[in-house]
Amino acid sequence: MGLLSDPNRRKALTSLLTRLNTPIWGMPVEWLVKTMQARGLEVFTQSFTRTLPFPDENKERYMVRGTNIYGILRAPRAPRTEALVLSAPCSPDNSNNQAVGLLLGLAQYFRSQIYWAKDIIFLVNEHDLIGMQAWLEGYHHTNITGMDYTPLQGRAGSIQAALSLELSSDVITSLDLVLEGLNGQLPNLDLANLFHAFCQKIGVLCTIQGKLQRGDWDTAEGYTHAVQTMMLMVLKQASGRPWGDHGLFLRYHIEAASVRGINSFRQYKTDATTIGRLLEGMFRKLNNLLERLHQSYFFYLMPSLTHFVSIGYYMPAFGLLATILLLRALDLWVQLGTPAQVTEDGAGEVEPPSSPGVLSVLTPVVISHLTGVALYTLPVLSQETAVEHFPVSETEAVVLTAIAIYTAGLALPHNTHRFISGEGTEQGWRVLKLVALLYLAVLLGCTALINFSLGFILAITLVPAAACVTPHMPKALTALAMVLLSPGCTLLYCVFIFQELQEAPVTLPEGWMLFLSVISQGILDHSLYGSLVYPLLALLIYPCWLLLWNILFWK
Amino acid sequence: MAAPLTLVLVLAVTIRAVLFRSSLAELISERVEVVSPLNAWKRVVEGLALLDLGVSPYSGDVFHETPLIIYLFHFVVDYAEIVFMIADGITAVCLYLAVQNYNKNVFRKQKYALEADRYPHDCLELMRSPREMHYIPLKVAMFYLLNPFTILSCVAKSTCGLNNAVIALFILSTLKGSALLSAIFLALATYQSIYPLTLFAPALLFLLQRLYIPVNLCRSSFWFFTLQYAFMFVGSLVVIVCLSFFLLGSWDFIPSVYGFILSVPDLTPNIGLFWYFFAEMFEHFRFFFICVFQINIFFYTIPLSIKLKEHPVFLIFMQIAIISIFKSYPTVGDIALYMAFLPAWSHLYRFLRNIFLVSCVLLACSALFPVLWHLWIYAGSANSNFYYAITLLFNVGQILLVSDYFYAYLRREHHLSQGLYLRRKDGSEATLVLK
């Protein structure tokens, strides 16, 4: 992965920089504090440190240290029970400076108004999501992710809504609304509608997923465009990572969205004043809220900003997929029941078919889950030994260990069959398949309730495999089909489809690199913010797929 | 059979010890499905703290367990985990011995009936053999100890485990025929939560059956024994209640424990049916619905006792199941107790009609409880209706399970008296329909 892949060179560079005693880059903490105080806000800082499980490409070191700065604008005549947040992440390459500048300008303007009923917190966070997580944990006195932070000195009441601002230039052509949060959680649809209505009123172009709306809904191209936008949302939601700084607010039941300014080649450009008016309007609307936004949908998919698909429309599709599994399970149950009743003898009792079968089913289940546990714990734990023996960086070591364990699981049935006695062959695989089908159905159901897109994508690929697999099919062809439908390959396809849909298609080697970085990002997200995608796939979905793989190779 | 039982006990203790030492113990002891306001360990600790300060533990409406429990833990609070593991062990061993005893009696009666040629000739395949019945006590102990519900309840240190132990001791002493011990343990169980009072009827029926006293309201021997047993039961209960009074020096445990169980003031969500109803109820109707809900539990005793008077052990199973489903603050520990009995009825498998559906529903609901709780409380995307829907579905599944076993039991008894292949009067094949 470049110059810094060689650990020796990396150590040399770090020691050189430490000797120079310069930070690699820094946030102008004192200047921001002074500026905010000059605008009449109550300013506080919070410093935080976080040890990463392995250094990723962006950070390139194990420990991340930073400072968050926030200023509170107190409402002039209201009790300090509720607050709104406007945040701008301070990024290392100065790409978000316009947002910080706009934030400070808005702070000065808001200070002179008398109509604020809620306190407004202007937050500048460092290191994007890590800083935001530290601030939120400090604000709510929780410690979910094991971060080290100084306690917050100033608070402003319970936060009702939050907006995160990302502006890379001082004139923009459109504003992109980002809704997807951690674990696929979405803010209330009212917030998105509010933002879109305001953009239309002010006359600013508003997009979602970076795609413009089209007016022609009846034509094939219009429909395809809408489907592409919706598929982008599905893929983003399924990844389980927060796609903007707002994503972490949703876990605390705070409706939040991110607004990203895009400067592309278009004639009509909007300047920062208009964006400021837009944000002022948004905040005035949020200021008038009597209760948290909860009237509209929390579960929706948006093919465009003016259309949405609610849970009542998309859940039956998933329900039908789950029904396939349940019907197949019922069919297996009947099959397991009937032969036993045919072979009755005079004195014998009909034993329940599950009781002798359960113990023989236990071995594949336990081994599959142990492999899942290995896939979850070993990559991060064994990065030290991997770096010693192989010329790879830590990130590469973690990712490649994960892929190695995943592929090693494919060899399991051939080895474990030497340990199992193979008793009850015809009965055995049926019982195992029944258990695997019910397990998969319950798992996919629970996943779809929490993160519908993830559940649906997994269901599309796993349900056909689960329903059809038997030991009597042609082994080579079915094995190939099963590998192509496994969770790992599904992730690969999703990466390629995502790039296609964003109109930035990648070649195969680039796609592979992207795939590796997606895996490392998933592992990092899990340990930094508590994203559930990686443990779900490693500990539950992958063992389930291994059970089906076991059935295919049943002797 | 002692060696496999010891092995199962060792395995169960290992699993519980591992979970006690892990970080999951904190998480589990806060789950509303596992602990209720009646039996949460946090509240026992709170009551102990109040007692140490010299204040009545019932002040402040936090502690709702009985005084004997608080005095027990006053001495063993440092070894609480061991106490709960021992309680689970006692329950398992008592159930093992009880079911072993029951199976011996059943087999003996079957032998006598076969020798007296009381069964129709085509019922031979319904007969139970010793080989099939040999492993049932071990399976019952395993079903109790290795049930995830029991393990969760033990790791959460919910006093439901102690309640189950007392009920298991009661069942063992009843099946061994000791009326005094049975009355004492029943009094202890009733003292802890009122609902085991309904187990008086099946215990009485069993002891009458054992002493060959016919259940006839005109016979004086029936009344004599009933009064004896009732006197022992009421006497033990009075002694225990007065002992509690003398331990704490005041009567305020009665409104705090029994008033709390009967009037259901705390509406924390749990896996029962009460909380949602009473959250929506107007004050005007509250008393009426409380009476209706509470009478619902006690009412099933009468028809079930009449129908199952020849089969008191199955009646015990049905009563425990009804208590676990309809009580005011059920938890998964209560469910684990009646589920432990299911292997004892494994010979009914061929007559069960809904077992697949019921198992799927119970499994799915157990998995969905934490998901919907998370969506309601943490994510804020769902509301109480979603959680109550799963609660309702879970309870409907349990009711279906219990009624399915009831149907299968009655059907087997019918076949044993009328023959397996039913014929109408004109000789054509008939089918059995449950009306």
Side-chain angles (χ1 to χ4, degrees):
Chain A
M1 285 183 187
L3 176 71
L4 296 173
S5 283
D6 189 344
N8 300 319
R9 286 196 203 140
R10 206 167 55 246
K11 281 195 199 113
L13 185 61
T14 337
S15 60
L16 177 67
L17 285 169
T18 327
R19 247 182 282 138
L20 287 177
N21 206 12
T22 52
I24 301 188
W25 71 275
M27 190 159 86
V29 173
E30 293 85 13
W31 178 82
L32 269 173
V33 166
K34 270 209 302 271
T35 326
M36 281 195 186
Q37 274 173 343
R39 277 153 177 71
L41 308 175
E42 295 177 17
V43 187
F44 307 96
T45 58
Q46 180 203 28
S47 54
F48 59 91
T49 47
R50 183 78 168 96
T51 325
L52 299 177
F54 57 89
D56 72 335
E57 297 138 15
N58 304 332
K59 311 281 182 258
E60 285 294 344
R61 52 208 148 136
Y62 275 103
M63 184 156 323
V64 170
R65 230 182 274 273
T67 322
N68 293 329
I69 304 160
Y70 63 106
I72 307 181
L73 171 69
R74 298 287 181 189
R77 287 177 301 185
R80 298 165 178 195
T81 46
E82 294 173 349
L84 300 168
V85 173
L86 178 63
S87 81
C90 196
S91 55
D93 50 355
N94 299 331
S95 68
N96 210 22
N97 287 350
Q98 272 75 22
V100 177
L102 185 58
L103 191 101
L104 295 170
L106 278 173
Q108 185 165 28
Y109 179 67
F110 284 1
R111 186 76 178 79
S112 52
Q113 307 305 320
I114 56 166
Y115 43 70
W116 296 113
K118 305 188 197 329
D119 294 346
I120 304 185
I121 304 177
F122 295 92
L123 170 67
V124 179
N125 52 320
E126 195 172 342
H127 295 299
D128 302 318
L129 291 165
I130 303 181
M132 184 59 87
Q133 181 69 20
W135 189 80
L136 280 170
E137 284 191 354
Y139 199 85
H140 292 98
H141 300 291
T142 58
N143 201 339
I144 314 172
T145 56
M147 189 159 326
D148 219 354
Y149 54 84
T150 57
L152 295 184
Q153 305 295 324
R155 270 188 106 251
S158 102
I159 305 178
Q160 304 291 307
L163 270 182
S164 173
L165 205 54
E166 289 173 36
L167 275 182
S168 48
S169 66
D170 46 0
V171 287
I172 58 159
T173 54
S174 62
L175 281 176
D176 194 38
L177 183 65
V178 182
L179 296 170
E180 299 82 11
L182 185 65
N183 287 328
Q185 208 178 343
L186 298 169
N188 201 310
L189 191 56
D190 273 340
L191 194 63
N193 292 341
L194 178 68
F195 186 75
H196 181 58
F198 243 90
C199 283
Q200 283 187 321
K201 182 171 167 179
I202 301 249
V204 176
L205 202 57
C206 187
T207 63
I208 193 166
Q209 317 298 343
K211 285 191 186 295
L212 277 177
Q213 280 196 178
R214 290 172 66 126
D216 51 347
W217 295 104
D218 303 330
T219 63
E221 293 89 16
Y223 189 76
T224 331
H225 182 89
V227 167
Q228 281 173 349
T229 317
M230 196 172 79
M231 280 309 298
L232 267 174
M233 180 163 181
V234 163
L235 287 170
K236 280 190 181 175
Q237 201 186 6
S239 69
R241 49 188 314 252
W243 286 84
D245 280 6
H246 72 287
L248 298 172
F249 280 94
L250 296 167
R251 185 175 19 204
Y252 296 90
H253 201 174
I254 301 169
E255 308 309 323
S258 276
V259 172
R260 193 170 288 159
I262 298 179
N263 191 7
S264 68
F265 304 103
R266 207 174 280 280
Q267 212 175 14
Y268 187 73
K269 297 205 189 271
T270 323
D271 62 341
T273 324
T274 323
I275 306 174
R277 274 175 46 222
L278 178 70
L279 287 173
E280 182 217 346
M282 279 289 290
F283 268 80
R284 284 186 74 168
K285 283 271 186 186
L286 292 172
N287 179 46
N288 293 336
L289 279 179
L290 290 173
E291 50 187 12
R292 284 181 199 262
L293 287 168
H294 71 278
Q295 302 283 359
S296 182
Y297 291 93
F298 284 101
F299 297 109
Y300 50 89
L301 293 173
M302 297 187 82
S304 82
L305 272 171
T306 47
H307 293 72
F308 72 95
V309 182
S310 76
I311 189 169
Y313 278 94
Y314 64 62
M315 217 32 138
F318 178 80
L320 290 175
L321 280 175
T323 315
I324 297 177
L325 291 176
L326 292 175
L327 287 176
R328 196 82 180 90
L330 188 62
D331 172 48
L332 276 170
W333 177 263
V334 167
Q335 275 178 20
L336 280 172
T338 12
Q341 283 172 2
V342 166
T343 61
E344 274 174 10
D345 49 270
E349 271 301 318
V350 176
E351 302 222 45
S354 52
S355 38
V358 161
L359 288 178
S360 69
V361 156
L362 209 58
T363 325
V365 168
V366 166
I367 294 182
S368 307
H369 279 89
L370 284 178
T371 321
V373 168
L375 182 60
Y376 177 67
T377 48
L378 277 184
V380 176
L381 283 180
S382 66
Q383 51 177 314
E384 290 291 330
T385 40
V387 166
E388 271 174 35
H389 297 293
F390 300 101
V392 289
S393 69
E394 279 94 345
T395 320
E396 287 172 342
V398 169
V399 171
L400 292 174
T401 319
I403 296 182
I405 298 178
Y406 187 88
T407 333
L410 297 182
L412 269 181
H414 303 284
N415 295 325
T416 56
H417 269 284
R418 291 195 208 124
F419 296 109
I420 312 175
S421 53
E423 39 151 298
T425 44
E426 267 311 296
Q427 201 80 322
W429 74 261
R430 287 208 165 86
V431 175
L432 182 61
K433 186 165 178 187
L434 182 66
V435 167
L437 284 173
L438 288 176
Y439 183 37
L440 189 65
V442 168
L443 200 57
L444 288 177
C446 293
T447 314
L449 274 176
I450 298 186
N451 185 348
F452 168 76
S453 311
L454 182 62
F456 193 72
I457 291 177
L458 286 172
I460 288 184
T461 50
L462 287 176
V463 164
C468 301
V469 74
T470 60
H472 305 304
M473 306 172 80
K475 291 257 193 302
L477 203 63
T478 326
L480 183 66
M482 275 209 71
V483 168
L484 287 177
L485 290 175
S486 71
C489 289
T490 314
L491 187 59
L492 189 62
Y493 305 146
C494 287
V495 166
F496 278 106
I497 295 176
F498 185 69
Q499 290 299 122
E500 262 312 311
L501 287 173
Q502 285 207 313
E503 286 153 25
V506 288
T507 59
L508 210 57
E510 288 173 9
W512 177 254
M513 284 288 131
L514 206 57
F515 174 64
L516 295 180
S517 74
V518 161
I519 297 181
S520 77
Q521 202 60 40
I523 301 178
L524 210 56
D525 278 349
H526 167 61
S527 66
L528 284 177
Y529 321 119
S531 157
L532 291 174
V533 175
Y534 179 64
L536 179 78
L537 285 179
L539 290 173
L540 296 171
I541 301 274
Y542 177 63
C544 204
W545 183 82
L546 271 183
L547 284 178
L548 298 173
W549 183 254
N550 254 316
I551 293 171
L552 181 61
F553 286 101
W554 191 267
K555 278 198 254 296
Chain B
M1 288 298 280
L5 182 62
T6 324
L7 200 64
V8 170
L9 277 170
V10 164
L11 179 64
V13 166
T14 318
I15 297 178
R16 284 162 173 75
V18 164
L19 281 173
F20 268 129
R21 290 280 160 259
S22 75
S23 59
L24 288 175
E26 285 278 326
L27 209 71
I28 294 174
S29 54
E30 290 170 5
R31 298 294 324 167
V32 288
E33 297 93 7
V34 184
V35 294
S36 72
L38 272 182
N39 50 29
W41 178 246
K42 227 169 35 166
R43 293 179 182 247
V44 173
V45 170
E46 186 72 29
L48 279 173
L50 287 171
L51 190 67
D52 285 338
L53 284 173
V55 180
S56 157
Y58 297 103
S59 53
D61 195 35
V62 170
F63 180 66
H64 297 290
E65 264 290 352
T66 55
L68 281 185
I69 296 277
I70 207 173
Y71 265 92
L72 172 71
F73 282 111
H74 189 62
F75 297 115
V76 296
V77 70
D78 296 325
Y79 309 107
E81 299 166 356
I82 302 183
V83 168
F84 285 105
M85 287 203 270
I86 292 178
D88 271 357
I90 290 177
T91 315
V93 170
C94 289
L95 289 177
Y96 177 88
L97 294 170
V99 173
Q100 206 176 39
N101 201 336
Y102 172 63
N103 277 345
K104 282 202 192 106
N105 284 342
V106 160
F107 187 65
R108 206 171 35 140
K109 280 197 201 135
Q110 187 180 267
K111 202 170 67 161
Y112 292 156
L114 273 175
E115 284 169 7
D117 208 17
R118 282 196 3 224
Y119 293 137
H121 293 287
D122 50 6
C123 285
L124 288 175
E125 57 196 63
L126 291 178
M127 293 298 120
R128 307 179 63 186
S129 66
R131 197 179 42 134
E132 164 232 334
M133 298 206 291
H134 187 244
Y135 282 108
I136 288 181
L138 184 65
K139 281 189 203 169
V140 165
M142 222 165 57
F143 257 57
Y144 185 74
L145 283 174
L146 300 180
N147 192 347
F149 289 157
T150 326
I151 297 178
L152 283 176
S153 191
C154 183
V155 172
K157 293 197 276 223
S158 151
T159 59
C160 184
L162 299 174
N163 209 3
N164 287 353
V166 173
I167 295 180
L169 282 165
F170 153 72
I171 294 175
L172 179 64
S173 49
T174 312
L175 287 179
K176 290 282 193 195
S178 158
L180 179 64
L181 275 179
S182 154
I184 293 176
F185 283 123
L186 185 62
L188 263 178
T190 311
Y191 165 73
Q192 206 174 351
S193 74
I194 307 175
Y195 302 110
L197 179 63
T198 57
L199 292 170
F200 181 83
L204 183 65
L205 285 171
F206 183 83
L207 291 165
L208 284 172
Q209 199 183 56
R210 203 163 186 281
L211 295 171
Y212 301 109
I213 302 174
V215 182
N216 192 343
L217 290 169
C218 312
R219 292 281 198 106
S220 67
S221 51
F222 166 74
W223 285 114
F224 187 59
F225 187 78
T226 311
L227 282 173
Q228 254 187 324
Y229 190 64
F231 182 69
M232 283 193 278
F233 169 65
V234 172
S236 323
L237 193 58
V238 165
V239 164
I240 297 171
V241 168
C242 290
L243 182 65
S244 316
F245 169 68
F246 284 122
L247 278 176
L248 280 182
S250 70
W251 289 110
D252 57 0
F253 70 96
I254 293 193
S256 277
V257 181
Y258 305 118
F260 186 81
I261 296 177
L262 287 175
S263 69
V264 192
D266 187 319
L267 297 175
T268 320
N270 49 47
I271 58 174
L273 299 163
F274 279 64
W275 60 276
Y276 189 78
F277 267 98
F278 289 100
E280 312 268 321
M281 186 94 35
F282 290 120
E283 279 303 310
H284 186 66
F285 300 107
R286 198 189 154 85
F287 182 64
F288 171 67
F289 276 97
I290 287 271
C291 293
V292 165
F293 273 68
Q294 298 289 4
I295 290 174
N296 185 39
I297 309 178
F298 293 99
F299 191 74
Y300 292 108
T301 317
I302 304 171
L304 280 176
S305 309
I306 296 173
K307 185 73 187 172
L308 288 172
K309 64 175 183 273
E310 311 291 327
H311 315 285
V313 179
F314 193 75
L315 182 59
I316 291 183
F317 164 70
M318 292 285 295
Q319 282 293 1
I320 296 179
I322 287 174
I323 293 174
S324 314
I325 299 171
F326 293 112
K327 71 191 282 194
S328 45
Y329 294 101
T331 60
V332 293
D334 301 305
I335 296 172
L337 185 62
Y338 80 80
M339 279 200 174
F341 276 97
L342 295 181
W345 323 118
S346 56
H347 60 283
L348 298 174
Y349 181 77
R350 59 182 294 180
F351 298 118
L352 289 172
R353 294 180 303 173
N354 300 326
I355 192 72
F356 180 66
L357 178 68
V358 164
S359 335
C360 286
V361 163
L362 289 178
L363 261 173
C365 286
S366 313
L368 283 173
F369 269 124
V371 169
L372 282 163
W373 180 261
H374 169 84
L375 277 179
W376 174 22
I377 301 287
Y378 295 109
S381 320
N383 52 37
S384 59
N385 298 320
F386 291 68
Y387 193 74
Y388 193 62
I390 301 299
T391 307
L392 265 181
L393 199 58
F394 189 68
N395 282 316
V396 162
Q398 283 186 78
I399 294 172
L400 256 180
L401 176 72
V402 169
S403 58
D404 212 16
Y405 268 95
F406 190 37
Y407 164 80
Y409 194 85
L410 290 179
R411 184 160 167 184
R412 182 173 177 269
E413 295 302 315
H414 179 89
H415 280 311
L416 283 178
S417 58
Q418 309 287 346
L420 190 56
Y421 300 104
L422 306 168
R423 297 257 173 267
R424 288 195 208 137
K425 291 200 180 64
D426 54 1
S428 59
E429 200 174 320
T431 46
L432 200 60
V433 171
L434 185 73
K435 278 211 160 161

